Amino acid sequence: MKDNSAFLKGMRDGLPIGLGYFAVSFSLGIIAKKGGLSPLLGFFSSLFTRASAGEYAGYSLIAAGASFWEMFIISVITNARYLLMNCALTQKFEESTKMIKRLLVGMCCTDEIFGISIAWPGKLKPKYTFGATVVAGPMWALGTALGIIAGSALPLRYVSALSVALYGMFLAIIIPPAKKDKAVTACVIAGFLFSYLFSVTPLLKEISSGTRTIILTIAISTVISLIKPVKVKEEEVAKNE
Amino acid sequence: MSDSLKLFIYLAIMILTTNGVRVLPLTLIRKPIKNRFIQSFLYYVPYVTLAVMTFPAIMEATQSPIAGLIALVAGVLAAFFGLGLLPVSIICCLVVFICETFLV
């Protein structure tokens, strides 16, 4: 596939992501307003951060008048899953990919952009990730700005319906590979099950959702890797495609 | 310190820290990893993460948790039968919208 077509494909796949973002970032805007952000500041801070849980925590801390240290520590914790995700991403690059492109791809990675980038067949074309980001990023930022302006003007029913768009996208990313690979099926079922158990069990349910994601990701991935390590040969085949 | 300066510092910390966390692994790991366990671990990470973030969060995002649950089932089925990102998302949204007409 030529480089430009990878960029265009990225833009196309970025559109549903952007639409899904809209509802989430709109609700972020409502919180950002409590922190005293103008629509313009909301737009740019959201454009450069693009992290749902991270921004939710960040804007809440501003509204609460927290210390700068708290802002730093909470930003690390709420975004720590990107450490894991981008470790996985390091293995998707052609070895010849320049460092600057690797860093830019890394900065582009939200949960969803990471999801479609890792699902790209064979080695990743950075332009695919960039294409998705130039479409989805501004929509995310615009949602935040509009949330600040319009506040709670949108009827709750619409917000409620829009808010599952993101999860629909997650499902479209994880279900097709789960259909083909039993180990991935196990990942998905274990993920659903333990995440649910953590949310209802006393004490465990006090753990924030960001931390829960980290703990369960490490634990479940470790167990399944030990039971069913990937065949190294398949990696070689993918490389030659 | 003025309030607007303070706001700028907050936002700068948020932006720099978030992106710093994102690029850190990419600066540290540049070579293909040969270890089979780590390869397997990194292969499974995205699926586990996305699954963990989807459920039960989808039930907490909607006004009626049951509508969220039905949207989950509908989304799994749609994706299982090969629909792409946008159609699956739209189906989930529509399911919630329709369900909440009756449930809320």
Side-chain angles (χ1 to χ4, degrees), chain A residues 38-140:
Chain A
S38 64
L40 199 66
L41 263 186
F43 182 89
F44 283 106
S45 62
S46 217
L47 183 68
F48 291 124
T49 313
R50 283 168 297 100
S52 53
E55 283 181 47
Y56 175 81
Y59 294 141
S60 306
L61 286 177
I62 294 172
S67 70
F68 293 143
W69 274 110
E70 280 178 285
M71 178 61 106
F72 172 72
I73 293 165
I74 295 293
S75 293
V76 171
I77 293 173
T78 50
N79 294 302
R81 65 184 184 284
Y82 293 127
L83 277 176
L84 286 176
M85 291 184 181
N86 286 358
C87 278
L89 202 63
T90 59
Q91 302 303 301
K92 271 301 268 191
F93 289 109
E94 292 281 5
E95 262 193 88
S96 60
T97 306
K98 290 207 177 67
M99 182 48 75
I100 181 75
K101 282 197 177 167
R102 290 175 187 236
L103 296 184
L104 283 173
V105 168
M107 281 191 234
C108 286
C109 273
T110 62
D111 301 322
E112 302 75 26
I113 305 271
F114 166 79
I116 59 166
S117 298
I118 207 84
W120 179 264
K123 292 292 176 185
L124 176 67
K125 299 240 189 275
K127 283 194 177 175
Y128 175 68
T129 306
F130 298 153
T133 300
V134 297
V135 171
M139 291 173 81
W140 172 258

